[in-house]
């Protein structure tokens, strides 16, 4: 399974099939390595495992299911670079949207990043929610035309943390 997780992000999007997703799910679905892979691919336009897959999998979950399979893991994955270890993909996405050069990115990449950051708002970790909110503000001030579609996408989510920051 370690080889699967190390190599999957380098595969062509066209090589992803239903069987590839079955293999990911067989390796415990949203466990830590699988979630890293999904987050690494979350901003890739045209990729079958981008943020739209996260959204489809998280939107219909109960809050307790989502907390167990998503929010708790995300809360534990927020760490910065230290002692030679790279920062987490959670931290990379938050910091990239907040401090990176996003002016020239494709609209679709910005939209996918925003979807991922909106899902970070379901977290009980206030630091993640606050910094994801700041990142969303910067991203959506740069790409304001994306906001209406994202509000429509998230306005029925059953999570008060997310809804509080959506409006």
């Amino acid at each position: 399974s370690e080889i699967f997780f190390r190599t999957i992000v380098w595969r062509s999007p066209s090589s992803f099939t239903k069987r590839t997703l079955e293999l990911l799910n067989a390796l415990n679905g949203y466990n830590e390595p699988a979630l890293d892979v999904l987050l690494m691919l979350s901003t890739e336009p045209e990729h079958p495992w981008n943020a739209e897959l996260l959204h489809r999998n998280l939107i219909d979950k109960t809050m307790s299911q989502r907390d167990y399979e998503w929010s708790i893991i995300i809360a534990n994955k927020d760490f910065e670079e230290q002692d030679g270890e790279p920062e987490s993909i959670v931290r990379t996405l938050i910091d990239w949207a907040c401090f990176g050069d996003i002016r020239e990115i494709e609209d679709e990449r910005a939209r996918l990043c925003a979807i991922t950051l909106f899902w970070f708002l379901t977290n009980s970790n206030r630091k993640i929610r606050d910094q994801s909110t700041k990142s969303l503000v910067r991203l959506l001030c740069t790409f304001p035309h994306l906001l209406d579609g994202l509000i429509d996408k998230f306005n029925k989510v059953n999570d008060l943390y997310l809804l509080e920051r959506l409006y």
Side-chain angles (χ1 to χ4, degrees):
S1 70
E2 186 176 333
I3 292 171
F4 178 81
F5 289 122
R6 283 188 184 176
T7 61
I8 193 90
V9 296
W10 302 110
R11 294 182 187 173
S12 164
S14 63
S15 71
F16 285 71
T17 64
K18 282 179 86 173
R19 179 67 180 139
T20 316
L21 189 56
E22 288 170 5
L23 289 171
L24 179 77
N25 289 330
L27 296 170
N28 295 326
Y30 277 9
N31 64 22
E32 291 192 38
L35 191 54
D36 280 351
V37 166
L38 293 175
L39 291 174
M40 283 184 231
L41 297 172
S42 68
T43 62
E44 292 299 318
E46 308 291 324
H47 199 288
W49 287 11
N50 65 25
E52 289 293 347
L53 176 67
L54 286 174
H55 185 75
R56 285 191 306 274
N57 284 314
L58 294 171
I59 190 75
D60 292 327
K61 293 197 180 300
T62 65
M63 281 180 44
S64 60
Q65 285 176 308
R66 192 170 41 248
D67 283 349
Y68 178 73
E69 296 175 13
W70 169 258
S71 300
I72 293 170
I73 297 170
I74 293 296
N76 292 326
K77 295 191 81 45
D78 181 34
F79 53 87
E80 296 179 5
E81 183 179 353
Q82 62 183 21
D83 299 328
E85 290 294 317
E87 69 185 1
S88 70
I89 185 63
V90 170
R91 176 62 27 211
T92 298
L93 287 168
I94 292 170
D95 287 352
W96 176 71
C98 198
F99 306 112
D101 184 8
I102 60 172
R103 292 171 300 190
E104 302 294 324
I105 66 170
E106 310 100 317
D107 285 4
E108 181 62 2
R109 188 174 306 279
R111 190 185 72 81
L112 292 168
C113 184
I115 290 170
T116 305
L117 291 170
F118 270 115
W119 281 113
F120 286 175
L121 298 178
T122 64
N123 206 292
S124 61
N125 181 323
R126 187 172 179 178
K127 176 184 172 191
I128 292 174
R129 286 196 324 273
D130 287 349
Q131 293 176 347
S132 295
T133 300
K134 290 175 185 173
S135 296
L136 279 163
V137 167
R138 180 166 183 261
L139 195 63
L140 295 172
C141 281
T142 306
F143 299 90
H145 56 281
L146 299 176
L147 188 55
D148 286 344
L150 290 165
I151 288 174
D152 289 344
K153 192 172 202 65
F154 284 96
N155 69 0
K156 293 201 177 5
V157 172
N158 62 350
D159 189 281
L160 294 178
Y161 284 145
L162 189 150
L163 292 175
E164 168 188 61
R165 297 191 183 217
L166 181 64
Y167 297 106

